[in-house]
Amino acid sequence: MNRQSTHHISVCLSCRPKGGAVRPGPDLIGRLRAALGEDDGLAAFDVSGAACMAGCTRPCTVAYHAPGKASYLFGGLTSEETGALVEFARLYQQLRDGWCSSVDRPAGLRHATLARIPAAMAASSENADCAS
C-alpha cells in the first residue's frame, strides 16, 4: 500500500464466472492501477487484491474504503466497468462521509452494488441507538 494512500480499492482475486477458468481480478487490478495513475487527482487511491470477498455469486467483486467513510462492495464486474470504477473513485474521494445514493453512482455500477457499509464509529452506552 502506498504510504500516501487514504483511499483503498480491493479487488477479489478468487472470483471467476460460473464455469469460467479465468479469474478477472488480476486483469481488473492492472487496468484500475493504470487508469488511476493517469489522473493525478486520484493519487490518494491504492489498489490491491484480496484473497476472497465472499461475493462468489456475483464475480468479480470490488470494494472501496477509506477512514471515516462508508465502504462499498460492488459485484458482477469485468474490465468493461473500469471507466465506471474510476468515475466512482472520483466521486467517493469527494464525499465527506462516503454516502451517496444509487442515482449518484455511475450508471455501470448502479445495479452492481452489493453493500454499503457504514464507517466504524466508537460506540458507548450513552450514544447507542438501539435498546438492549
Side-chain angles (χ1 to χ4, degrees):
M1 180 184 280
N2 175 350
R3 291 186 183 269
Q4 301 296 325
S5 296
T6 57
H7 290 71
H8 193 79
I9 300 172
S10 299
V11 180
C12 185
L13 295 173
S14 59
C15 281
R16 69 175 172 215
K18 192 172 190 167
V22 176
R23 298 180 194 278
D27 179 56
L28 189 53
I29 289 170
R31 290 174 183 265
L32 276 171
R33 285 179 178 163
L36 293 168
E38 293 174 2
D39 187 330
D40 289 339
L42 297 176
F45 279 88
D46 182 55
V47 181
S48 66
C52 179
M53 293 172 29
C56 304
T57 60
R58 300 269 310 269
C60 180
T61 55
V62 175
Y64 286 72
H65 39 104
K69 289 188 176 188
S71 297
Y72 285 85
L73 181 65
F74 297 104
L77 303 175
T78 67
S79 59
E80 292 178 19
E81 282 83 31
T82 302
L85 290 166
V86 170
E87 188 178 340
F88 184 74
R90 273 190 208 94
L91 172 64
Y92 186 71
Q93 185 174 358
Q94 295 173 4
L95 297 169
R96 183 186 56 78
D97 59 2
W99 285 81
C100 69
S101 72
S102 62
V103 296
D104 294 328
R105 291 178 218 140
L109 298 181
R110 288 186 188 140
H111 298 292
T113 306
L114 300 179
R116 176 176 55 201
I117 303 152
M121 299 172 66
S124 73
S125 58
E126 295 173 14
N127 64 6
D129 289 336
C130 59
S132 336

